Amino acid sequence: MYTNQYKFKYLEWHSPEEIHETTIKWQSTLDFVEVEWLFLKELLSDNTLLLLSDDHFDEAQKLVSKLQSCKQEIPEIRQMLVEHRNALEVLVDGINESQKEKAFKDRHLLLEIKLNDFNDRYREIKTAIFDLMKHSFKKRKQKSIASK
C-alpha cells in the first residue's frame, strides 16, 4: 500500500527535469562512494597490526568482505543509471506515450528503492568500520598512557 501511495505522489509531482537532476545526484553519490571506498579499505589495511593486537582482525575481515561486496555492485548500478538517464527522452520527446512514460517512472521508483537500499547497507558498513577504528584507537591510546 505504501509503495502505491508513494508511486502516485511521485508520478504526479516530479517533472522530467527533477528526475534528471535526481539521476545526476545518484551518479555523483556513487562516484563519492567509490572514492570513499578506497579510503575505508586503506584505513583498515593500514591499521592491520593495531586490529590484530586488539583481537578485532576477524571483525575487520568481515567488514572488508562486506565493503568489497558493495564495491562490486557499483558498476551494475552505474550502468542502470546511464540507461535510465538515456531513457528520460520518453518524458520529454513531446509524444504522448503514456504506457512508456508510466513504465519509465516505475523503473525510476524501483531504481530509487535499489539505491536507497544500497546506501543504507553501505552506511551501516561505514559506521561499523569507524566504530571499530575508534575503539581500537582509543584502546591504543589507553595502552600508551598506561605504559608511561
Side-chain angles (χ1 to χ4, degrees):
M1 183 70 169
Y2 172 76
T3 304
N4 289 337
Q5 289 173 347
Y6 180 76
K7 189 185 306 183
F8 176 75
K9 289 179 184 174
Y10 195 87
L11 292 174
E12 188 169 327
W13 294 108
H14 286 73
S15 70
E17 293 81 16
E18 290 170 319
I19 292 173
H20 177 72
E21 286 299 316
T22 299
T23 304
I24 289 173
K25 286 178 186 175
W26 290 341
Q27 288 176 319
S28 177
T29 299
L30 277 181
D31 292 343
F32 181 79
V33 165
E34 282 188 310
V35 171
E36 188 177 51
W37 179 87
L38 290 170
F39 167 76
L40 293 171
K41 187 176 174 203
E42 283 184 35
L43 179 67
L44 289 169
S45 64
D46 288 351
N47 290 287
T48 301
L49 291 176
L50 173 64
L51 294 169
L52 276 171
S53 68
D54 286 346
D55 297 325
H56 291 295
F57 187 73
D58 289 339
E59 185 179 351
Q61 285 298 99
K62 288 176 187 172
L63 290 171
V64 167
S65 178
K66 289 179 180 180
L67 198 59
Q68 184 63 35
S69 177
C70 277
K71 171 74 168 153
Q72 291 172 348
E73 287 181 60
I74 291 175
E76 175 192 348
I77 295 172
R78 186 176 305 285
Q79 182 61 36
M80 291 170 71
L81 287 172
V82 168
E83 290 170 6
H84 186 66
R85 204 170 86 204
N86 291 342
L88 185 62
E89 183 180 324
V90 76
L91 298 181
V92 294
D93 63 5
I95 301 170
N96 187 7
E97 298 175 294
S98 60
Q99 291 288 18
K100 285 184 179 180
E101 291 173 10
K102 183 183 179 320
F104 174 85
K105 289 180 179 180
D106 287 348
R107 283 191 310 272
H108 185 84
L109 177 64
L110 293 174
L111 188 55
E112 181 175 19
I113 291 168
K114 182 174 184 68
L115 281 159
N116 286 340
D117 177 59
F118 173 83
N119 286 330
D120 289 346
R121 285 183 290 114
Y122 180 74
R123 201 172 303 119
E124 284 178 21
I125 296 166
K126 183 169 65 170
T127 299
I129 291 171
F130 285 136
D131 287 346
L132 176 66
M133 295 311 301
K134 182 173 74 174
H135 174 76
S136 293
F137 289 147
K138 185 183 274 187
K139 198 169 182 181
R140 179 174 68 180
K141 186 176 180 179
Q142 288 171 346
K143 285 180 183 177
S144 174
I145 291 172
S147 67
K148 288 184 180 183

